[in-house]
Amino acid sequence: MQRFAGKTVLVTGGGYGIGRAVALRFASEGASVGVLDLDQQRANETVKLAATSGRAAHAVRTDVSDSADVNRAVQEVSAKLGPIDVLVSNAGIRYVRKVLETTDEEWNRTLSVNLTGMFYVSRAVAPQMLARGGGKIVIVGSMSGLIGQSGRAAYGATKAGTLQLTRSLAVELGPTINVNAVAPGYIAGTGMMVEVDKDTKTVNWMIGSTPVHRAGTPEDVAGAVAFLASDDASFITGATLLVDGGFSAARYMPAGLF
Ligand code: NAD
């Protein structure tokens, strides 16, 4: 499929994990890809991989929690690759901390990257979409923004915030721009999941609690993001698409209960 031929897609946090898979998915479907990431080296690697699809790609080292940095990066990508048709707001961080153990610094950094960063990037990109009469924004939330989990206080609060930001943007930017979110469950093999992936007990419990009986992959999320950015999703806006293998739908009752 070449659903995005001639389009320009901007992916934040595109240097690794889900963001890289998203960037490569759009490149494989014909798009030019702008990769914004705090880690310049990883962003450059994504650009190299995208080039194997024969697509133009450009990396800019950016901290999404810094609005001036975001504005400059959006200008640079638009100048290099053309006006942005699709924004995938994906950059995020996570500290696994219980509420009472979370420091001021961890709380504030999580908010400024995961939530304020998504606001800055949307605010920087949407005006050019409005001026051109169309565009798609996909926000990467999390199932942690929908269910309670231990050790996810700051993270879950920001992810719930991104889902509400999605709805507000959809209302204000419609009918010109469709704004939707994906809410991934356990996606193995990313930077954020390094410690989880190593912990067999956690992995087995997660997989055992997931109706499809496997961990998700970055490519699973990329497929859902590409769908939401495609014309097939033109009547969908303000929605959150769970990409969690059914984890949050499932409540297994232990054997032996009546
Ligand atoms: P990852 O660590 O592999 O990728 C995150 C990327 O964001 C990295 O390349 C990192 O350098 C970049 N980044 C971090 N802070 C940044 C900043 N301030 N400015 C710009 N870039 C920054 O993690 P991932 O698992 O691929 O996470 C991507 C998104 O998916 C995050 O928003 C995360 O919350 C969400 N998510 C992941 C999972 C999962 O299980 N992996 C589940 C639900 C949601």
Side-chain angles (χ1 to χ4, degrees):
M1 276 190 290
Q2 290 286 297
R3 292 178 291 184
F4 304 102
K7 304 264 187 207
T8 299
V9 179
L10 182 74
V11 186
T12 71
Y16 202 64
I18 291 169
R20 174 176 287 175
V22 166
L24 298 183
R25 174 66 185 250
F26 279 105
S28 76
E29 291 205 42
S32 302
V33 185
V35 178
L36 270 47
D37 204 290
L38 199 52
D39 187 325
Q40 174 85 61
Q41 203 181 325
R42 283 185 157 171
N44 289 343
E45 284 163 24
T46 301
V47 162
K48 250 191 232 160
L49 291 166
T52 61
S53 304
R55 301 298 155 204
H58 183 66
V60 188
R61 188 202 173 273
T62 316
D63 184 344
V64 295
S65 71
D66 176 337
S67 65
D69 216 22
V70 166
N71 294 342
R72 178 191 55 81
V74 168
Q75 287 310 318
E76 187 175 323
V77 168
S78 314
K80 275 263 178 208
L81 303 176
I84 293 153
D85 299 290
V86 177
L87 163 65
V88 184
S89 200
N90 161 81
I93 56 169
R94 185 183 74 164
Y95 302 94
V96 177
R97 294 280 186 283
K98 291 191 174 172
V99 185
L100 303 187
E101 289 155 11
T102 301
T103 66
D104 293 4
E105 204 175 49
E106 288 164 347
W107 179 269
N108 290 329
R109 183 68 186 155
T110 309
L111 253 73
S112 60
V113 175
N114 292 9
L115 187 53
T116 309
M118 296 224 176
F119 157 62
Y120 287 157
V121 177
S122 303
R123 189 180 59 179
V125 172
Q128 46 172 282
M129 292 179 171
L130 290 172
R132 294 175 68 234
K136 311 274 189 186
I137 297 177
V138 182
I139 283 180
V140 179
S142 170
M143 84 179 173
S144 302
L146 292 162
I147 61 172
Q149 286 172 299
S150 178
R152 310 283 189 274
Y155 181 75
T158 62
K159 289 300 179 177
T162 64
L163 303 183
Q164 189 56 25
L165 176 66
T166 300
R167 296 180 196 106
S168 298
L169 288 168
V171 169
E172 291 186 13
L173 302 178
T176 311
I177 306 174
N178 292 62
V179 187
N180 291 293
V182 288
Y186 169 38
I187 307 300
T190 75
M192 193 176 279
M193 288 298 135
V194 166
E195 294 304 319
V196 173
D197 291 346
K198 283 194 288 204
D199 191 81
T200 315
K201 199 172 147 200
T202 305
V203 171
N204 288 343
W205 181 81
M206 290 296 299
I207 291 174
S209 307
T210 301
V212 304
H213 276 277
R214 66 172 176 85
T217 64
E219 290 72 24
D220 287 324
V221 182
V225 169
F227 162 68
L228 289 173
S230 76
D231 290 340
D232 286 335
S234 63
F235 198 57
I236 302 175
T237 197
T240 296
L241 179 57
L242 275 158
V243 188
D244 69 348
F247 180 91
S248 54
R251 289 291 176 272
Y252 290 115
M253 188 180 274
L257 296 183
F258 186 65

